[in-house]
Amino acid sequence: MAGWNENQLRKYNIKLEKIPTLQYDDPKLDSHLTNNYPVLIKGSKLVSRVLKWDLDYLKQHMSSVCCNVIVSKNHKFKYYDPKKITPNMTFKPISRPSPMIFSEFADKITNWKKGDSRLYLQQVLNNTIGQHVVRDFVMFNWDWIMSKQKICKWGPLSSNLILIAQEGNVTPCHYDEQQNMFASIRGYKRFILFPPSQFECLYPHPVHHPYDRQSQVDFDNPDFTKFPKFKEACGYEVIVGPEDVLYIPMYWFHHVESLKHGGYTVSINFWFKAGSVEKIEYPLLDYQRMVIMRNVEKMLAEALHDPSEVGNMLKTIFLGRYS
Ligand SMILES: CCC[C@@H](CC(=O)O)C(=O)C(=O)O
Ligand SMILES: [Zn+2]
């Protein structure tokens, strides 16, 4: 008996495959992780000691903590890097940060009405969030996840985010440059993942754009004229429920939604820096090709001293010579 059903999922016309599910102690698990292949992991008890982290409990223990909350005029919370907004740019994001204390966030989502702006709490778990929550934090199954970090030769744990989303909230398709072990505490989230090899179908914004790493394609209303190859995208879908852990390999695109009518969701992610690559092997891995493309964009912008000239120079290099 799954705790969710199909009509809680948003409708997209994208071809979808399934992601494998393995027990935390399955001998096949490590080869998925070391080969940067997504997998849903059951039974790890990674966050089982904090299943009590619901709004009431957190209101009790971190009510006056100021948290990073994103507010959106619609259901999409598309991340942007404010440091990449330049003075001569007209950039009007739909969602924006609106820090508030936890009790205010809890009250706003409890009393939310259709038409109100939506909220998404995305707070780094560190010692500013109060001793009680920090004490719970140490009760994660660190032995297990650190054993995976070691086996996979990932870099250090860079951060944990606690994520509290309203039902129906969407984090649009994007990729991260870190390995991610994503744990669900409350509610169900639907993930649609795409491998780095589908870069050409997902059209991420230019590296210097505030929406760097985010797909330009609006899944709710794809513009097939501007993004024709999106028709060829083939996603890998998985529903992540309480106590499940999803491994999201670095550079894999992912669209994430908190199921409609499922109540608010509470999740924790574990971002690990990429490990250092001992020796480059050929043929290159698809994620390494994304790293190269990012470096070309960065180097050109640096050399030209103007990110807006990068496109023209790439066109000059390519048209009639490589096309
Ligand atoms: C800010 C991080 C949001 C998260 C997706 C989600 O749970 O909405 C994600 O994209 C990730 O963990 O990488
Ligand atoms: Zn992400």
Side-chain angles (χ1 to χ4, degrees), residues 154 176 178-183 191 246-250 254 268-272:
W154 293 339
D176 301 295
Q178 302 196 59
Q179 303 284 16
N180 186 353
M181 292 289 254
F182 186 97
F191 282 71
L246 173 65
Y247 167 53
I248 309 168
M250 61 180 177
H254 45 287
I268 295 181
N269 69 14
F270 293 69
W271 267 319
F272 292 88

Side-chain angles (χ1 to χ4, degrees), residues 53-322:
W53 280 10
D54 61 15
L55 281 185
D56 295 334
Y57 179 87
L58 294 170
K59 219 157 94 171
Q60 211 181 331
H61 297 296
M62 54 186 277
S63 68
S64 52
V65 172
C66 184
C67 298
N68 184 43
V69 174
I70 318 289
V71 175
S72 177
K73 297 182 198 118
N74 63 24
H75 57 281
K76 285 177 276 205
F77 291 79
K78 187 171 180 179
Y79 171 80
Y80 65 89
D81 180 349
K83 297 191 297 299
K84 294 188 175 176
I85 302 173
T86 55
N88 55 359
M89 180 190 285
T90 48
F91 179 67
K92 299 212 172 318
I94 302 274
S95 60
R96 56 174 177 75
S98 171
M100 62 184 76
I101 60 171
F102 189 88
S103 56
E104 185 185 349
F105 167 75
D107 293 345
K108 279 187 188 299
I109 66 168
T110 307
N111 307 317
W112 186 81
K113 285 179 195 52
K114 210 164 162 43
D116 292 349
S117 289
R118 281 171 174 268
L119 302 161
Y120 200 156
L121 184 142
Q122 303 178 349
Q123 174 65 34
V124 174
L125 275 183
N126 55 32
N127 50 23
T128 66
I129 56 166
Q131 286 322 306
H132 213 96
V133 178
V134 167
R135 204 196 56 198
D136 292 344
F137 172 83
V138 300
M139 292 191 293
F140 294 164
N141 185 350
W142 291 108
D143 291 350
W144 176 77
I145 195 159
M146 288 321 194
S147 75
K148 294 307 163 193
Q149 175 199 25
K150 203 153 162 272
I151 291 165
C152 302
K153 297 194 180 71
W154 293 339
L157 176 75
S158 65
S159 64
N160 295 99
L161 278 186
I162 179 169
L163 302 160
I164 305 181
Q166 290 182 252
E167 60 186 24
N169 280 14
V170 171
T171 297
C173 186
H174 70 280
Y175 67 88
D176 301 295
E177 297 179 84
Q178 302 196 59
Q179 303 284 16
N180 186 353
M181 292 289 254
F182 186 97
S184 175
I185 290 177
R186 183 187 195 275
Y188 291 83
K189 275 180 170 174
R190 180 220 205 165
F191 282 71
I192 304 176
L193 276 71
F194 304 85
S197 60
Q198 294 195 30
F199 180 98
E200 287 92 344
C201 306
L202 294 163
Y203 305 86
H205 286 268
V207 165
H208 290 87
H209 191 279
Y211 280 143
D212 174 27
R213 294 183 293 108
Q214 319 294 309
S215 170
Q216 295 178 79
V217 183
D218 177 357
F219 279 26
D220 292 320
N221 181 24
D223 179 339
F224 291 114
T225 310
K226 281 176 74 176
F227 312 119
K229 281 182 175 289
F230 181 64
K231 277 193 291 294
E232 298 161 33
C234 174
Y236 293 82
E237 184 188 45
V238 64
I239 308 293
V240 181
E243 300 199 69
D244 290 346
V245 177
L246 173 65
Y247 167 53
I248 309 168
M250 61 180 177
Y251 296 94
W252 274 66
F253 291 84
H254 45 287
H255 154 103
V256 190
E257 59 192 69
S258 291
L259 298 198
K260 296 189 298 187
H261 323 304
Y264 65 90
T265 58
V266 181
S267 326
I268 295 181
N269 69 14
F270 293 69
W271 267 319
F272 292 88
K273 289 198 185 320
S276 54
V277 178
E278 287 99 21
K279 201 165 86 54
I280 302 271
E281 316 241 334
Y282 292 88
L284 290 173
L285 300 171
D286 290 320
Y287 91 84
Q288 290 172 321
R289 308 174 77 85
M290 282 175 69
V291 175
I292 292 170
M293 290 190 281
R294 288 186 65 85
N295 288 340
V296 168
E297 291 181 54
K298 287 177 188 173
M299 190 272 287
L300 280 177
E302 177 82 22
L304 294 166
H305 214 56
D306 178 357
S308 68
E309 285 190 38
V310 170
N312 288 334
M313 182 163 273
L314 288 170
K315 227 186 273 178
T316 305
I317 291 170
F318 174 73
L319 292 178
R321 302 176 65 243
Y322 286 91

